């Protein structure tokens, strides 16, 4: 991802000799998640910093294509829940996300940076992303990566149908916002995009509890402890009981403000469709 961001940066710089159609966009905002360990996508207690570098190609004043490289963080904790079952379950996690996203944008008004007739527009967008993530949980003041531990029996002989989930996944993106033109070259965008992930393991929680003695024997003591942190963990074995909801994949949100810089000659409109 680091090498890709360098290539993307210099590719964008090379576009400055072209015109109206190309923009480089600097993004900053917030991210959050909804899943088994957080029921509210807009819970301010679980919001974190998000930022990114983006490139926009304006097909015409109504349609644009955007490629974005974003960095975000998500987290969740049963201790913050309003539901007794969640608080008793007592799980928590955090994860950094690196996302490469491609979307199609539609402007409701005929907008481009520098257009004095339509200096703003609401817009919507949709697309896909590929992202990497690594859920972690805190144990004895140390953050432990959860996927290698197989906390729901992944990788054990007793649960051969449960494979370890992949740490590179995809998502469907939908969102909207507002675009403003501040000058011939500079614009500001406000946007909110929701990602429906193609996995239910952003938080390492999806299906049922498993026999903890098997986890201890095959995946080790950290798997044994982090698979069940409930208030009754030392007394009861919840083998087969619900731990998560696999029918409802996780989602995450990235929202914020971005500075859009029009490349090329700010006094030139390079296509009849922009006149």
């Amino acid at each position: 991802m680091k090498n890709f961001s360098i290539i993307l940066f210099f590719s964008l710089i090379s576009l400055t000799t072209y015109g109206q159609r190309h923009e480089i966009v600097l993004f900053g905002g917030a991210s959050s998640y909804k899943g088994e360990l957080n029921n509210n996508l807009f819970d301010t207690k679980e919001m974190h910093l998000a930022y990114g570098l983006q490139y926009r190609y304006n097909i015409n004043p109504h349609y644009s294509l955007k490629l974005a490289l974003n960095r975000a963080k998500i987290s969740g904790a049963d201790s913050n829940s309003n539901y007794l079952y969640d608080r008793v379950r007592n799980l928590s996690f955090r994860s950094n996300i690196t996302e490469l996203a491609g979307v199609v944008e539609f402007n409701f008004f005929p907008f481009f940076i520098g257009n004095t007739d339509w200096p703003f527009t609401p817009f919507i967008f949709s697309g896909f992303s590929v992202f990497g993530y690594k859920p972690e949980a805190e144990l004895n003041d140390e953050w432990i990566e959860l996927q290698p531990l197989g906390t729901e029996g992944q990788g054990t002989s007793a649960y051969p149908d449960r494979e370890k989930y992949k740490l590179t996944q995809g998502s469907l993106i939908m969102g909207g916002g507002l675009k403003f033109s501040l000058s011939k070259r500079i614009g500001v965008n406000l946007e909110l995009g929701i990602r429906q992930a193609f996995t239910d393991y952003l938080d390492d929680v999806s299906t049922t509890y498993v026999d903890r003695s098997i986890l201890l024997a095959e995946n080790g003591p950290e798997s044994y402890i982090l698979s069940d942190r409930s208030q009754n963990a030392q007394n009861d074995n919840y083998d087969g009981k619900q731990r998560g909801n696999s029918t409802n994949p996780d989602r995450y949100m990235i929202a914020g403000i971005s500075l859009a810089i029009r490349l090329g000659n700010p006094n030139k409109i390079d296509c009849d469709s922009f006149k």
Side-chain angles (χ1 to χ4, degrees), residues 77-95:
D78 281 337
S79 59
N80 295 327
S81 177
N82 295 322
Y83 300 100
L84 178 60
Y85 170 81
D86 293 342
R87 295 197 300 272
V88 171
R89 184 176 56 182
N90 195 37
L91 294 173
S92 62
F93 89 106
R94 74 175 187 184
S95 179

Side-chain angles (χ1 to χ4, degrees), residues 156-163:
T156 62
S157 58
Y159 303 92
D161 58 323
R162 297 191 180 186
E163 298 181 356

Side-chain angles (χ1 to χ4, degrees), residues 168-199:
T168 300
Q169 297 283 351
S171 76
L172 173 65
I173 304 175
M174 298 190 70
L178 293 170
K179 295 179 182 178
F180 300 90
S181 181
L182 300 183
S183 69
K184 290 182 179 181
R185 188 184 289 275
I186 303 297
V188 171
N189 306 156
L190 302 174
E191 68 176 67
L192 184 153
I194 296 175
R195 280 77 168 159
Q196 182 67 63
F198 300 154
T199 179

Side-chain angles (χ1 to χ4, degrees), residues 6 25-26 30 47 65 103 119 136-137 139 152 156 183 201 203 213 218 222-223 242 249 260 263:
I6 295 173
V25 183
L26 306 176
M47 284 192 177
L65 301 176
V103 300
E136 300 174 320
L139 179 63
E152 293 188 352
T156 62
S183 69
Y201 278 108
D203 46 22
S213 63
E218 298 191 30
E222 291 178 341
S223 177
Q242 184 176 354
L263 304 180

Side-chain angles (χ1 to χ4, degrees), residues 14-261:
S14 70
L15 292 171
T16 57
T17 57
Y18 292 90
Q20 171 70 32
R21 294 179 179 271
H22 306 281
E23 298 173 19
I24 183 172
V25 183
L26 306 176
F27 173 81
S31 56
S32 65
Y33 123 103
K34 181 179 180 181
E36 279 80 2
L37 304 189
N38 185 24
N39 296 310
N40 182 2
L41 188 61
F42 302 100
D43 185 353
T44 56
K45 295 190 297 292
E46 299 295 351
M47 284 192 177
H48 303 278
L49 176 67
Y51 56 92
L53 176 66
Q54 307 171 356
Y55 162 70
R56 177 181 288 121
Y57 175 75
N58 298 299
I59 300 172
N60 58 45
H62 285 287
Y63 287 95
S64 303
L65 301 176
K66 187 170 74 174
L67 181 66
L69 180 64
N70 297 319
R71 181 77 168 174
K73 182 179 179 180
I74 58 174
S75 66
D78 281 337
S79 59
N80 295 327
S81 177
N82 295 322
Y83 300 100
L84 178 60
Y85 170 81
D86 293 342
R87 295 197 300 272
V88 171
R89 184 176 56 182
N90 195 37
L91 294 173
S92 62
F93 89 106
R94 74 175 187 184
S95 179
N96 291 317
I97 290 178
T98 301
E99 171 194 78
L100 179 62
V103 300
V104 178
E105 300 177 337
F106 173 74
N107 301 324
F108 286 93
F109 304 150
F111 175 86
F112 57 86
I113 293 176
N115 185 354
T116 56
D117 294 329
W118 294 98
F120 74 94
T121 184
F123 73 104
I124 56 175
F125 57 89
S126 181
F128 298 91
S129 78
V130 176
F131 65 92
Y133 72 110
K134 289 184 179 181
E136 300 174 320
E138 190 175 16
L139 179 63
N140 298 326
D141 298 322
E142 181 181 358
W143 286 95
I144 307 297
E145 188 176 338
L146 291 168
Q147 188 259 14
L149 300 181
T151 57
E152 293 188 352
Q154 302 98 324
T156 62
S157 58
Y159 303 92
D161 58 323
R162 297 191 180 186
E163 298 181 356
K164 291 185 178 180
Y165 51 87
K166 298 184 183 302
L167 295 177
T168 300
Q169 297 283 351
S171 76
L172 173 65
I173 304 175
M174 298 190 70
L178 293 170
K179 295 179 182 178
F180 300 90
S181 181
L182 300 183
S183 69
K184 290 182 179 181
R185 188 184 289 275
I186 303 297
V188 171
N189 306 156
L190 302 174
E191 68 176 67
L192 184 153
I194 296 175
R195 280 77 168 159
Q196 182 67 63
F198 300 154
T199 179
D200 190 43
Y201 278 108
L202 290 183
D203 46 22
D204 191 63
V205 182
S206 181
T207 57
T208 61
Y209 290 96
V210 296
D211 189 332
R212 298 175 74 215
S213 63
I214 294 174
L215 294 181
L216 180 62
E218 298 191 30
N219 290 355
E222 291 178 341
S223 177
Y224 174 85
I225 295 171
L226 294 174
S227 68
D228 183 1
R229 309 189 80 175
S230 68
Q231 298 175 13
N232 300 317
Q234 301 304 316
N235 303 315
D236 297 322
N237 193 332
Y238 288 158
D239 183 15
K241 294 182 179 180
Q242 184 176 354
R243 188 173 187 258
N245 181 7
S246 61
T247 63
N248 187 17
D250 297 332
R251 63 187 63 177
Y252 64 99
M253 177 271 293
I254 297 178
I257 185 170
S258 57
L259 182 69
I261 305 170

